Amino acid sequence: MKQPCFLAVFLLAVGSLHAATWYVATNGNDTANNGTGGWTQAYATISNALAKSGNGDTILASNGVYLLSAELSIGDCVVRSLTGNPADTIIDGDHKVRCAFLASTNALLAGFTVRNGFGNDNGGGVRVHAGATLSNCWVLNNMTTNDNASNPGLGGGGVWLGNGGRVFNCVIAGNVSSNFGGGLLVGGATYWGLVRDCLISNNWAYRSGGGGCNYGGTFTMEDCEITGNAAISHGGGVGLFYKGVVDRCRVHDNTCGSRGAGIYVQRAPNGWVRDCLVTDNSTTNSGYGGGIVVFDGGNLANCTVAGNTSDNYAGGFWFYTDTATYTGNFYNNIIYGNNAAVSSSSNWLNGGTCRTNGVYYNCCTAPLGSTTWNTASTNNTDAPPQFADGGAGDYHVPAESPCVNTGTNLDWMAVATDLDGRRRVDIFSGMADMGCYEHVLRGTVFSLQ
């Protein structure tokens, strides 16, 4: 009875014999050294180690700058920096080539600065495809120059995600796209990507998604900070098209010339923006929606949208549709303390010939009710949310706020957390709050002996 177990262990051990570690150092030698005999036998280039390595191998790169003449193609192997600190080990595209293409499910690039990459199609810095992972990297000052508006899947100044690409714990900053997705792009309806625990800052896109953009793919962005990004047209911080989820993100200080300086959502009946704090974003060219725009369909839940500015209409939030089949559903949001040049729309505005297709449930905003307010909207309040210190960026609410225990519960909330990582539905009241934060009860804890 023990033989199958022994056989499995034996086969695993045999398989592990084929995995090797390859060493790379800037003072190595690609011709005289063998690459696998420790640091004294290190290669000089990562590309040579990749060419010699096999499936399951690890390539370990020591400190220094690795200047590329061709893109690194990473298959079924792991490429790590020695220290794990991206500042120590740099892959530089020299403004001529994309830095890396992660092409396999088991491909991993971790612990590097990836800079000065250049591409004309899918990603200037890194292309992450087929379930590959980019982790703990700084993706800086890369560029893609394709400006084909009819093919929005071409872009991603810093990172382009294909079928199952994953990006964890990275800094994506200072990248440029002449099309969509200055910082990163999930391009195409058949693709999906996951971005988690990243700082996405000071990127620029000519069209949509200065920080990041999903154009039709199944996209999830979680626990990210998106700040200081810009786009000429739509979505200074994030552009979300057709579907996808943006969850527990801080979106602030982004700019846009047209629509949705913080977040732009378009025709996304299955798209969600939830548990996000959207503050201090602004339109710059007579645009609409300083904080968030939902154009045609989309869902917004438990977001706090405050301190945003529009130099035209809708400082905080704008919903627009001319199509009767599209609806917007907005749950448990605080949209308060925003500003617009047209002051009557400082917090929100519904527009278009089918403007009443935008429905608000259990939201805190002002003013309530108008010709654009859908009659199905229920349980909303225009009372001030009583932010703890909005001027200092603290948008938690106290126990006496009208936003506490007054939200509506949705199915996904059973396992959801708020922006602070606390459970979304209060265990005592069984109710969700409005806004991105759940109120935490404070008091004396008694211990019974």
Side-chain angles (χ1 to χ4, degrees):
M1 295 296 293
K2 293 182 179 180
Q3 184 176 359
C5 226
F6 170 81
L7 181 59
V9 172
F10 175 77
L11 290 174
L12 180 62
V14 170
S16 67
L17 293 176
H18 296 289
T21 298
W22 300 79
Y23 298 87
V24 180
T26 54
N27 61 351
N29 191 304
D30 278 348
T31 56
N33 294 345
N34 63 31
T36 59
W39 292 110
T40 60
Q41 287 293 315
Y43 285 146
T45 62
I46 299 172
S47 58
N48 193 43
L50 285 167
K52 301 294 179 57
S53 65
N55 290 348
D57 286 359
T58 295
I59 296 169
L60 198 59
S62 186
N63 299 3
V65 178
Y66 296 88
L67 193 65
L68 304 180
S69 58
E71 172 187 88
L72 299 176
S73 182
I74 302 173
D76 190 2
C77 65
V78 171
V79 182
R80 293 185 182 276
S81 68
L82 174 62
T83 67
N85 183 351
D88 294 337
T89 313
I90 299 165
I91 297 171
D92 193 316
D94 197 26
H95 305 287
K96 298 175 182 177
V97 297
R98 182 191 297 117
C99 293
F101 175 28
L102 281 61
S104 171
T105 300
N106 296 316
L108 170 67
L109 182 67
F112 293 87
T113 289
V114 180
R115 73 183 187 191
N116 300 333
F118 174 83
N120 191 37
D121 47 21
N122 300 330
V126 187
R127 181 179 178 182
V128 188
H129 197 64
T133 302
L134 180 71
S135 177
N136 186 34
C137 287
W138 298 350
V139 183
L140 310 178
N141 304 320
N142 303 280
M143 176 184 291
T144 181
T145 57
N146 194 294
D147 62 355
N148 184 357
S150 64
N151 192 345
L154 301 178
V159 181
W160 185 91
L161 289 87
N163 193 18
R166 301 178 297 176
V167 181
F168 300 145
N169 192 34
C170 290
V171 175
I172 301 170
N175 303 285
V176 172
S177 171
S178 298
N179 205 3
F180 289 73
L184 62 91
L185 173 68
V186 178
T190 61
Y191 295 129
W192 63 272
L194 173 62
V195 180
R196 180 181 292 155
D197 295 312
C198 292
L199 172 62
I200 303 170
S201 68
N202 298 297
N203 303 284
W204 183 89
Y206 181 74
R207 291 192 167 86
S208 181
C213 186
N214 170 54
Y215 204 95
T218 303
F219 172 65
T220 301
M221 178 182 284
E222 299 174 336
D223 302 301
C224 293
E225 183 173 3
I226 302 136
T227 180
N229 304 284
I232 294 295
S233 59
H234 300 69
V238 180
L240 185 66
F241 292 81
Y242 305 114
K243 54 187 175 182
V245 176
V246 179
D247 197 0
R248 299 186 306 276
C249 291
R250 292 173 171 84
V251 184
H252 62 93
D253 296 288
N254 303 283
T255 60
C256 181
S258 180
R259 299 173 179 177
I263 302 175
Y264 177 79
V265 181
Q266 179 172 315
R267 294 191 177 181
N270 296 316
W272 286 87
V273 178
R274 61 195 193 196
D275 307 306
C276 291
L277 178 63
V278 182
T279 61
D280 303 305
N281 304 284
S282 57
T283 62
T284 58
N285 189 26
S286 296
Y288 288 74
I292 301 177
V293 166
V294 172
F295 186 86
D296 289 340
N299 304 281
L300 185 70
N302 281 99
C303 291
T304 298
V305 184
N308 302 284
T309 302
S310 171
D311 57 347
N312 198 359
Y313 287 92
F317 175 70
W318 187 48
F319 170 73
Y320 182 97
T321 185
D322 286 326
T323 308
T325 57
Y326 286 109
T327 60
N329 298 289
F330 318 123
Y331 309 90
N332 306 346
N333 301 293
I334 301 174
I335 307 172
Y336 226 96
N338 303 282
N339 293 284
V342 181
S343 59
S344 61
S345 66
S346 283
N347 283 317
W348 69 276
L349 179 68
N350 285 5
T353 57
C354 299
R355 63 188 66 184
T356 57
N357 282 15
V359 189
Y360 298 76
Y361 306 93
N362 302 69
C363 292
C364 176
T365 191
L368 296 182
S370 72
T371 57
T372 66
W373 190 263
N374 189 294
T375 56
S377 298
T378 57
N379 299 320
N380 301 287
T381 179
D382 59 1
Q386 303 178 41
F387 294 131
D389 191 350
D394 186 351
Y395 292 97
H396 292 81
V397 294
E400 59 271 20
S401 168
C403 302
V404 173
N405 293 336
T406 52
T408 184
N409 294 353
L410 303 175
D411 290 343
W412 56 266
M413 294 179 181
V415 293
T417 58
D418 72 354
L419 192 59
D420 282 336
R422 300 185 179 96
R423 61 181 298 158
R424 172 51 70 187
V425 178
D426 178 66
I427 60 174
F428 298 105
S429 68
M431 297 292 294
D433 291 348
M434 298 179 188
C436 62
Y437 299 113
E438 287 290 312
H439 173 70
V440 178
L441 293 175
R442 291 177 171 82
T444 302
V445 176
F446 296 93
S447 178
L448 299 178
Q449 302 294 327

